[in-house]
Amino acid sequence: MTATPRHVPVVVVGGGQAGLSVSYHLKQRGIAHLIFEKETAAHTWATQRWDTFCLVTPNWQCDLPGHPYDGPDPDGFMKKDEIVAYLAAFVAKVAPPIREGVAVTRVTRRADGLFDVATSEGDCIANEIVVASGGYHSPIIPRMAERLPGSVVQIHSNQYRNPAQLPEGEVLVVGSGQSGAQIAEDLHLAGRRVHLAVGDAPRCARFYRGRDVVTWLADMGYYEKTVEDHPLRDGVRDNTNHYVTGRDGGRDIDLRRFATEGMRLYGVLEDYRQGSLHFRDTLKRSLDGADRTYNGINAAIDQHIAEMGIAVPAQAPYAPVWEPGEPVTRLALEGSGITSVVWCIGFTPDFRWLDASVFNGAGQPKHKRGITNEDGVSFIGLPWLNTWGSGRFGAVGRDADYLVQVIQKRLGAERPALKFAV
């Protein structure tokens, strides 16, 4: 005789800071739930970050529910071990009902409106499914990687830990978003010769006119701006994050300066064929575009300072310290000195386990503030779920509070008793 699957009002898929924040608010409201996490709670910060990783936003922005940053350096940037400790303390505070090492393999809607949830340890039934697994699931490595010689070591950014991990020789870093720019800097500071294929990521200043740029933007209300208020609307969710660093107390990342120090910069890597790497002629455009964004943000801060009559020192716009010469669109791999490649071109989402009509053609969920058009299915922890901070420690708690309020109303209206027992 087959046992009847247990019934859980709310199933949360993913035990990172987003899923833990949902659990915090569910517990506050007495709503029974389970978190399924295929690894361990908040594991990616310990297992998928390089050794010198640190936050790029000031510590004061870390404001998980019931767990604001209370350390000695609110204007500093927590290093990897400090982030792991901060999250471990959050897990201890929340004391979530979490099943670690358990993967959700399938979620389907039943005829009665509930959900069948299949997991690696058995099945259950739920009224609500909260997808808190993020959107960074499958590392992107292009097909051209298959054609590179076997002698070239290849890793993705989520596998990179430190320069000593790579064989002696020069390193090609592909991609200049936050991870690519910071990994290129890490290798460069270690004395490795770096070749960087530069993409279209924007950049911003770390400090401007005496304060951290994040602090200025917070004062200007930027971090309270919602997707609906943003000029790009839903399109802002596709934006690449600005590259900057909190390393050594925080500083700009200036790829032009790296070039003056020996880093070799190229345009977008397009292909590898006939023994050569082929790059697009996009380097100058990418560098100029990043600098326009950099100076544009600073100009907006200038306007705010003028409007508010704030007395702070003036600062000139950024002026390029290096310009690319004749474009290099082809580089023979043999003789280049390159012995390893670090792919830093992002991830693709993988929600194939969720059988629900809530996705667009790119496999991304369609939602408003995490609430989809299918009752009982919601998302949290995605970039710009509602505001800039939705995928970060700063605003994920507020998103969780809103989402749980919606869940509470749905459970209360349909099956009030489910709030009290599992």
Side-chain angles (χ1 to χ4, degrees):
M1 180 176 179
T2 303
T4 302
R6 60 179 164 173
H7 179 241
V8 184
V10 183
V11 161
V12 181
V13 183
Q17 66 265 19
L20 294 168
S21 295
V22 171
S23 182
Y24 173 91
H25 286 290
L26 288 169
K27 291 186 74 174
Q28 291 288 305
R29 291 169 172 81
I31 301 175
H33 62 286
L34 273 180
I35 301 176
F36 291 110
E37 166 55 55
K38 65 180 179 179
E39 302 290 343
T40 58
H43 72 98
T44 57
W45 297 93
T47 63
Q48 296 184 22
R49 302 292 188 272
W50 54 94
D51 294 347
T52 61
F53 181 89
C54 60
L55 294 180
V56 299
T57 51
N59 295 333
W60 60 260
Q61 273 207 336
C62 297
D63 191 22
L64 293 174
H67 191 56
Y69 175 82
D70 60 358
D73 191 13
D75 294 316
F77 307 90
M78 282 193 283
K79 298 175 184 177
K80 176 181 174 179
D81 290 348
E82 295 170 311
I83 299 167
V84 171
Y86 172 73
L87 288 168
F90 182 51
V91 174
K93 280 185 180 179
V94 176
I98 186 169
R99 297 294 302 154
E100 295 182 314
V102 179
V104 172
T105 57
R106 194 71 175 168
V107 171
T108 54
R109 174 81 78 176
R110 293 156 46 110
D112 61 5
L114 301 178
F115 294 94
D116 281 325
V117 181
T119 81
S120 57
E121 72 166 7
D123 300 342
C124 65
I125 299 169
N127 294 73
E128 296 274 342
I129 304 296
V130 179
V131 183
S133 56
Y136 305 120
H137 302 132
S138 302
I140 297 174
I141 297 180
R143 291 298 301 269
M144 76 176 84
E146 301 169 8
R147 301 194 297 275
L148 289 172
S151 58
V152 176
V153 172
Q154 302 183 60
I155 61 173
H156 192 269
S157 59
N158 69 340
Q159 299 169 302
Y160 175 77
R161 296 297 173 264
N162 55 62
Q165 160 191 22
L166 301 176
E168 291 186 5
E170 302 180 17
V171 185
L172 171 63
V173 177
V174 182
S176 59
Q178 279 189 359
S179 294
Q182 291 178 59
I183 289 172
E185 180 192 46
D186 191 51
L187 291 160
H188 181 67
L189 293 176
R192 301 294 291 266
R193 179 69 176 272
V194 177
H195 301 251
L196 178 62
V198 179
D200 290 329
R203 75 183 187 105
C204 67
R206 175 77 279 164
F207 302 104
Y208 183 65
R209 300 188 69 175
R211 301 175 78 198
D212 194 298
V213 164
V214 170
T215 304
W216 282 121
L217 293 176
D219 288 351
M220 294 160 62
Y222 177 77
Y223 300 121
E224 303 305 316
K225 183 179 294 187
T226 68
V227 170
E228 285 72 24
D229 297 330
H230 199 282
L232 295 177
R233 305 281 291 187
D234 288 353
V236 71
R237 292 174 175 147
D238 299 324
N239 278 3
T240 304
N241 287 325
H242 301 68
Y243 57 85
V244 67
T245 184
R247 186 167 175 171
D248 301 326
R251 57 172 170 260
D252 294 2
I253 291 182
D254 186 351
L255 302 184
R256 296 181 192 266
R257 180 174 62 80
F258 289 160
T260 69
E261 297 169 351
M263 188 181 292
R264 298 198 62 182
L265 306 183
Y266 309 84
V268 172
L269 178 60
E270 187 171 45
D271 200 4
Y272 173 76
R273 60 181 183 273
Q274 298 178 333
S276 292
L277 298 160
H278 294 262
F279 303 92
R280 296 177 190 164
D281 179 13
T282 55
L283 177 60
K284 178 173 173 53
R285 186 192 72 195
S286 295
L287 293 174
D288 289 347
D291 289 345
R292 275 195 302 274
T293 300
Y294 180 104
N295 283 327
I297 293 171
N298 291 350
I301 294 171
D302 288 336
Q303 182 178 347
H304 170 75
I305 289 170
E307 290 173 352
M308 301 301 293
I310 303 170
V312 290
Q315 188 170 333
Y318 173 81
V321 298
W322 176 86
E323 289 287 354
E326 188 68 22
V328 177
T329 57
R330 180 179 175 275
L331 177 67
L333 188 59
E334 185 176 355
S336 69
I338 295 171
T339 59
S340 55
V341 178
V342 185
W343 299 101
C344 303
I345 50 179
F347 300 79
T348 56
D350 184 1
F351 299 111
R352 287 175 294 177
W353 52 269
L354 178 58
D355 185 9
S357 301
V358 296
F359 301 104
N360 61 22
Q364 296 282 4
K366 298 179 292 183
H367 64 88
K368 183 173 182 179
R369 295 192 70 175
I371 306 301
T372 72
N373 59 6
E374 185 161 333
D375 283 351
V377 178
S378 52
F379 288 79
I380 191 167
L382 300 176
W384 281 95
L385 188 90
N386 184 45
T387 65
W388 177 88
S390 289
R392 303 169 185 266
F393 296 157
V396 68
R398 284 180 287 168
D399 289 345
D401 187 24
Y402 173 80
L403 187 151
V404 171
Q405 288 182 51
V406 173
I407 289 174
Q408 183 178 36
K409 289 178 181 176
R410 289 201 292 226
L411 290 177
E414 297 172 9
R415 295 172 176 84
L418 294 179
K419 290 188 291 183
F420 305 107
V422 173

